[in-house]
């Protein structure tokens, strides 16, 4: 299959949105930009189209998809918000949508089981990117869209990254530029615990625990019992093919004789302990500015991809602080380290 690229006009998104909707109406899949990472989109109410997402991505059927809305009022099409949570959900939506916050809520019958992997809940958000949001609005149905990469691999944050992942497998990629956040959305399950609303943090992301705490208690679900889980979030996600090494402290890194290493540095500064530790074959800096973690988010997957292609034997990543967005960055680095060095998890 030939993969066409439609370059979006940043002043007028209509042509790109129309091209995407044409493919969606035909029951096909299309890669679309969002503010987090590129998504592989299908009409969420068309089971056969959704099945193509799983096929193209080689994604296991137990890993449910996020659905994207074109407008806030479409939430009721996919989610049946329990009365005791209605107030909290309303506040979260008004604060964070459109934006990178995914809510897990009880689903309606309209959402096919293939979308939610048979779960009684649905993960839903509304993207800030005009192309994803505009396409859902024009289509009139929500759009199911996981990241546009082969399952387990590094999420794509540019159209060219999608092309190297899925080129030849899908009919169209809409190029809407580099992703502004660069990390997948935050996922919280909205529920009740001890008679009070709670946000179960299923995946850290651009909307941080600190942001959410103003609205409700934020808790990490225990993997046992009746607390919600995020299927598919296994170790080994986001993995480069090259081994990725993550140490508690720079002294723990002991290079092997004859092997070449790349450094994924936070600021590229000697004082952080890694830069001068070894003669790195390649060094990439996640935050060349001031070590701002938002900059790390934008560049992380792009640089991982670049270093993966650099031909070194292993990549050493400097850890970042876990406050705010740092929690999401460390989550991705730890999972990537656990699954690296193979074809993916
Ligand atoms: P991706 O679309 O690749 O960013 O991944 C979507 C992730 O959302 C899945 O891997 C799950 O971890 C999570 N997810 C989707 N739907 C649900 C749900 N109904 N309950 C819990 N987690 C979900
Ligand atoms: Mg993914």
């Amino acid at each position: 299959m030939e993969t066409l690229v439609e370059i979006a006009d940043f002043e007028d998104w209509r042509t790109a949105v129309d091209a995407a909707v044409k493919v969606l109406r035909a029951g096909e899949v299309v890669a679309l930009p969002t503010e987090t990472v590129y998504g592989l989109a299908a009409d969420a109410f068309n089971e056969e189209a959704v099945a193509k997402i799983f096929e193209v991505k080689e994604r296991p059927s137990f890993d449910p998809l996020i659905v994207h809305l074109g407008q806030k009022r479409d939430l009721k099409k996919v989610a049946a918000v329990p009365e005791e949570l209605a107030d909290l959900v309303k506040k979260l939506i008004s604060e964070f949508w459109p934006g990178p916050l995914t809510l897990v809520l009880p689903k309606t019958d309209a959402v096919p089981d293939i979308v939610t992997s048979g779960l009684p809940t649905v993960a839903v958000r509304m993207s800030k990117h005009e192309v994803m949001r505009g396409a859902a609005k024009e289509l009139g149905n929500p759009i199911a869209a996981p990241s546009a990469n082969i399952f387990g691999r590094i999420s794509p944050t540019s159209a060219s990254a999608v092309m190297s992942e899925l080129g030849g497998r899908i009919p169209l990629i809409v190029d809407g530029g580099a992703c502004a956040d660069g990390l997948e959305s935050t996922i919280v399950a909205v529920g009740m615990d001890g008679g009070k609303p709670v946000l179960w943090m299923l995946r850290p992301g651009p909307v941080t625990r600190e942001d959410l705490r103003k609205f409700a208690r934020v808790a990490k679900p225990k993997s046992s019992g009746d607390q919600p889980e995020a299927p598919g979030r296994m170790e080994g996600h986001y993995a480069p093919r090259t081994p990725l090494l993550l140490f508690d402290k720079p002294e723990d890194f002991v290079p092997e004789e004859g092997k070449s290493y790349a450094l994924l540095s936070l600021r590229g500064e000697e004082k952080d302990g890694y830069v001068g530790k070894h003669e790195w074959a390649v060094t990439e800096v996640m935050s060349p500015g001031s070590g701002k973690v938002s900059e790390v988010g934008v560049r992380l997957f792009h640089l991982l991809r670049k270093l993966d292609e650099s031909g070194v034997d292993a990549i050493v990543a400097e850890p970042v602080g876990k406050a705010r967005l740092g929690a999401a960055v460390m989550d991705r680095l730890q999972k990537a380290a656990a699954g690296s060095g193979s074809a993916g998890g």
Side-chain angles (χ1 to χ4, degrees):
M1 181 187 293
E2 193 193 353
T3 303
L4 300 176
V5 178
E6 168 85 32
I7 298 183
D9 177 347
F10 279 58
E11 255 129 57
D12 182 3
W13 300 99
R14 232 164 330 163
T15 315
V17 168
D18 288 347
V21 170
K22 206 171 147 200
V23 176
L24 293 167
R25 288 227 165 97
E28 295 297 329
V29 295
V30 50
L32 300 181
T34 79
E35 75 278 38
T36 59
V37 304
Y38 273 71
L40 184 63
D43 179 343
F45 289 169
N46 179 339
E47 288 179 51
E48 277 170 40
V50 174
K52 288 180 190 166
I53 293 180
F54 286 91
E55 203 181 295
V56 164
K57 277 189 57 112
E58 300 172 26
R59 185 175 175 112
S61 60
F62 60 77
D63 191 1
L65 309 177
I66 291 171
V67 303
H68 292 253
L69 304 178
Q71 46 197 347
K72 290 180 187 176
R73 65 163 181 268
D74 287 347
L75 178 63
K76 59 179 178 303
K77 289 188 185 170
V78 298
V81 181
E83 212 180 292
E84 70 262 35
L85 298 175
D87 190 47
L88 173 60
V89 168
K90 203 171 152 195
K91 284 186 182 141
L92 291 171
I93 287 174
S94 116
E95 177 79 11
F96 297 109
W97 283 8
L101 178 67
T102 298
L103 303 176
V104 173
L105 290 163
K107 80 175 195 74
T108 61
D109 290 340
V111 183
D113 283 337
I114 185 171
V115 171
T116 65
S117 301
L119 289 171
T121 52
V122 63
V124 56
R125 82 175 189 99
M126 184 162 92
S127 174
K128 213 183 267 177
H129 202 292
E130 285 83 349
V131 171
M132 178 60 90
R133 201 174 66 244
K137 199 168 171 196
E138 193 178 312
L139 180 68
N141 280 350
I143 287 175
S147 52
N149 51 277
I150 300 289
F151 182 70
R153 293 260 304 132
I154 305 168
S155 300
T157 53
S158 66
S160 64
V162 178
M163 188 57 100
S164 69
E165 284 287 320
L166 302 179
R169 293 179 181 226
I170 58 176
L172 183 68
I173 299 170
V174 175
D175 184 347
C179 299
D181 285 318
L183 292 175
E184 301 83 353
S185 63
T186 304
I187 305 178
V188 291
V190 192
M192 296 293 287
D193 190 43
K196 283 198 181 137
V198 62
L199 299 172
W200 301 109
M201 178 63 80
L202 302 185
R203 176 170 76 186
V207 173
T208 64
R209 158 186 281 271
E210 289 85 344
D211 297 329
L212 292 166
R213 258 205 311 242
K214 293 166 206 150
F215 297 87
R217 185 168 73 90
V218 182
K220 238 195 183 148
K222 298 191 182 68
S223 45
S224 59
D226 54 3
Q227 297 180 356
E229 284 179 62
R233 291 225 70 225
M234 55 271 282
E235 298 294 311
H237 240 75
Y238 321 109
R241 295 198 171 88
T242 313
L244 179 75
L245 310 174
L246 199 55
F247 300 102
D248 289 334
K249 44 187 194 310
E251 295 70 45
D252 294 345
F253 168 58
V254 183
E256 271 180 57
E257 189 71 41
K259 284 203 169 171
S260 66
Y261 294 88
L263 178 66
L264 183 59
S265 176
L266 177 57
R267 294 177 282 213
E269 279 181 17
E270 197 94 27
K271 65 169 190 263
D272 294 329
Y274 286 85
V275 170
K277 180 97 185 59
H278 182 72
E279 236 177 88
W280 307 100
V282 199
T283 301
E284 290 290 352
V285 180
M286 295 186 270
S287 175
S290 49
K292 276 208 184 79
V293 79
S294 54
E295 199 179 15
V296 176
V298 174
R299 292 164 60 82
L300 180 67
F301 288 139
H302 170 70
L303 293 178
L304 268 182
R305 215 167 253 285
K306 198 166 163 189
L307 290 179
D308 200 14
E309 284 156 15
S310 72
V312 294
D313 294 308
I315 304 162
V316 174
E318 284 183 21
V320 310
K322 276 197 172 176
R324 305 194 63 84
L325 188 61
V329 171
M330 284 309 286
D331 170 78
R332 305 308 189 270
L333 281 176
Q334 277 158 350
K335 286 205 159 48
S340 61
S342 68

